[in-house]
Structure formats: structure tokens, C-alpha cells
Amino acid sequence: MRWDGISEFVYVADYESFTRAAKELGISTAQVSRQISALEKRLNIKLLYRTTRKVSLTEEGRVFYQHCRGVLDGLDAAEQAVSNLQSKPQGRIKLTAPVTYGEQQLLPLINDFMVQYRDIEVTAFLSNQKIDLIDGGYDLAIRIGKLSDSTMMAKKLSRRTNFVCAAPAYLEKYGMPHSLSDLSQHNCLLGTRDYWHFIEDGKIDSGKDADKEKNLRVSGSVQYNSGHSLVDAALKGLGIVQLPDYYVQKYLASGELVSLLNNYREPEESIWAVYPHNRHLSPKIRLLVDYLAEHLV
């Protein structure tokens, strides 16, 4: 009897919806509601705030959820461990990732992964929009930078660095910026945002002091939502660009682009694998995440 209502409560907390929890559990919404009401009565504690538009956890509910989630995860792990003794990873993985990072870094590695594990299939949707994993039925997302969704599991895979750079021909004609204020005198090649990221006082300290991070508004004659097109514009001497390392590394190495304002470079951004709680124990998901963490640089 102590287990009655636990799964229903955890699923409602995960999905913030009685209807979605009922669908995932394969039972009626009314049954989910009855089980949770009985659980609250047994505990003599209100676990959820219910309105016509939203379901959320009470303070007591959050504490209870953390413990119950751990118990269910442990049970899943025990069942999976026994299953793994007699089976190998197989099935389809549905994932999403940023477009350019996915094309250049991620999907080639996933192709290598699938050469080794022929029984795993992958569906990848590349988008620069933040996609809801639960609503979209995704097993996994690759995200860059700070994470905001605390309801998901996450594992750090790698990191990236943004470089400010320009072609030698541009610098010979217009000069080299030595401080952030100098950028106002230069043609800055813009992406989807009209600001760039920096460390304000020119001291890189692993990003521990948030007040040193600065978003500097810049302007110029070009604005593209394509990193490759921005690189091409920079190579042709049209202006200064700020882009992640995987766009510009080979041009910096060849001397076709010159790195600028290095003392003001922001700390490295983390690259994460993000997945729902109920996906992280799947052998195929764990295997892929571990593979990416080992091979991404």
C-alpha cells in the first residue's frame, strides 16, 4: 500500500499535467487523480497545487518528489541491470541539436557510433530553437551554454570558445581594436543577435564573477543567420566577426583570420547532453551520451 500513488505523483510532477501523466502510465486521468488524492490523505500533506491551467509542487511536494524520483530511478536501474545481462542496446534514439554544431561536430560522430552499434537507429532534428523534449517525444538534446531547465538530467560533453577575429586585409586598412570601446569604430558582422559576449575588465577567471561578463551591443553593414556566411564575409575583409571555434579554427591556424581582443574573451561555454529523467537509464541513451563525451573535443 505504501507504493500506491507514488508513480502517479512522480509522473504528474515530471509532466506538470494529470492528462500527460495518465497517457504515459496507460491509465485514466481520473485514476491518476484518485491515487494522488489518496496518497495526500494517507500522508496528511498537500503535494500539489491544482488549477484549471497549471499543476505545480508544494514545498512539501518538492521534497517528497526528490525522494520518490530517486526510489523509482533505482527500481528502473535494477530492472535494466537484469535486462542488460541478456540484451544489447537497440532501438531508435530521437535527438535534437543546434544546426551548425550538429552538422559539423555531432552527426559525424553519431555516424561513427552507428557503425559500431548496428541495432541502434537515430532520428536527428537540427534546430537553433529550444525544443520541448517531453512534448516532442525526444530522448536527448544537445545544448550549448547555461542550462535553465532543472527538471531534466544533464551531462557535460565538451566546451566551446567564441573568437573575435578579422582578415589581415581588413586590419591593415582599418586598424586593430585594442579595447571593447574600439569596436564602435569598426564594422561588426552580426549574426542573429546585435550584441557580443565578453569579459568586461579583460581578466579571464573561469567566469566565477558574473559581474565581469558583458554583453556589448555592436553594429555593422552585415547581419546573417548563417555562421558560414559570416565567416565568408570576414575572410573577404568586410569586417570583424565573433563566432564559435568550430567555425574559425582552421582559418586562425592558416592565418587567414587573426584573433582579436583575446584578453576580453569570455569563459568557455559548456556543451551538454540533456534528457528527461525517464530516459537516462536506457542502455542506448547512456551508451550514446558516454560515446559523445569521450569523442567530442
Side-chain angles (χ1 to χ4, degrees), residues 76-133:
D76 286 343
E79 293 177 353
Q80 196 65 64
V82 174
S83 176
N84 288 348
L85 295 176
Q86 298 180 330
S87 64
K88 57 182 178 180
Q90 57 184 313
R92 181 168 295 277
I93 299 173
K94 185 178 180 182
L95 63 88
T96 182
V99 176
T100 301
Y101 188 80
E103 289 177 342
Q104 294 191 2
Q105 306 291 315
L106 187 68
L107 294 187
L109 275 180
I110 289 179
N111 292 338
D112 293 339
F113 173 81
M114 293 178 67
V115 169
Q116 295 187 38
Y117 302 97
R118 296 286 187 175
D119 292 325
I120 293 180
E121 302 173 355
V122 175
T123 296
F125 178 69
L126 302 183
S127 172
N128 293 329
Q129 303 298 316
K130 185 177 179 181
I131 294 175
D132 188 301
L133 300 190

Side-chain angles (χ1 to χ4, degrees), residues 7 12-13 18 20 76 93 113 141 158 160 174 180 200 202 223 238 264-265 276:
S7 293
V12 169
F18 279 79
R20 185 61 189 271
D76 286 343
I93 299 173
F113 173 81
S158 186
R160 75 171 189 182
Y174 297 102
L180 300 188
E200 188 167 15
Q223 184 163 16
L238 291 181
Y264 296 89
R265 189 182 304 150

Side-chain angles (χ1 to χ4, degrees), residues 10-241:
V10 169
Y11 272 68
V12 169
D14 282 344
Y15 295 106
E16 297 182 342
S17 166
F18 279 79
T19 303
R20 185 61 189 271
K23 182 179 179 180
E24 293 293 326
L25 289 166
I27 59 179
S28 69
T29 304
Q31 185 175 350
V32 171
S33 181
R34 284 196 299 270
Q35 289 284 64
I36 293 178
S37 294
L39 176 63
E40 290 178 318
K41 184 176 180 180
R42 190 168 77 246
L43 296 173
N44 195 28
I45 293 173
K46 186 176 181 63
L47 298 172
L48 298 167
Y49 293 119
R50 304 167 176 86
T51 69
T52 56
R53 302 179 65 180
K54 187 178 181 182
V55 178
S56 59
L57 291 167
T58 65
E59 183 178 353
E60 294 83 0
R62 282 194 295 272
V63 173
F64 193 61
Y65 168 80
Q66 294 298 328
H67 288 279
C68 290
R69 166 48 69 190
V71 170
L72 290 185
D73 286 347
L75 181 60
D76 286 343
E79 293 177 353
Q80 196 65 64
V82 174
S83 176
N84 288 348
L85 295 176
Q86 298 180 330
S87 64
K88 57 182 178 180
Q90 57 184 313
R92 181 168 295 277
I93 299 173
K94 185 178 180 182
L95 63 88
T96 182
V99 176
T100 301
Y101 188 80
E103 289 177 342
Q104 294 191 2
Q105 306 291 315
L106 187 68
L107 294 187
L109 275 180
I110 289 179
N111 292 338
D112 293 339
F113 173 81
M114 293 178 67
V115 169
Q116 295 187 38
Y117 302 97
R118 296 286 187 175
D119 292 325
I120 293 180
E121 302 173 355
V122 175
T123 296
F125 178 69
L126 302 183
S127 172
N128 293 329
Q129 303 298 316
K130 185 177 179 181
I131 294 175
D132 188 301
L133 300 190
I134 301 299
D135 288 345
Y138 286 90
D139 300 298
L140 179 67
I142 306 302
R143 290 184 175 155
I144 299 173
K146 295 179 181 178
L147 299 179
S148 58
D149 192 343
S150 61
T151 65
M152 297 286 172
M153 303 289 288
K155 178 173 180 176
K156 185 176 178 180
L157 299 177
S158 186
R159 58 193 182 274
R160 75 171 189 182
T161 302
N162 284 318
F163 286 88
V164 174
C165 48
Y170 175 88
L171 298 174
E172 289 174 10
K173 187 173 182 179
Y174 297 102
M176 184 177 296
H178 297 286
S179 68
L180 300 188
S181 60
D182 290 345
L183 288 176
S184 63
Q185 306 301 316
H186 285 270
N187 192 44
C188 297
L189 310 176
L190 301 177
T192 55
R193 300 176 298 197
D194 61 353
Y195 60 87
W196 290 349
H197 298 292
F198 294 100
I199 296 300
E200 188 167 15
D201 64 1
K203 296 179 181 178
I204 299 175
D205 62 354
S206 302
K208 293 181 180 179
D209 296 328
D211 61 341
K212 293 183 180 179
E213 296 181 7
K214 181 181 181 65
N215 292 331
L216 179 68
R217 195 170 297 276
V218 295
S219 61
S221 61
V222 162
Q223 184 163 16
Y224 299 147
N225 67 343
S226 164
H228 292 296
S229 298
L230 289 171
V231 170
D232 184 68
L235 289 169
K236 292 174 178 176
L238 291 181
I240 299 174
V241 71

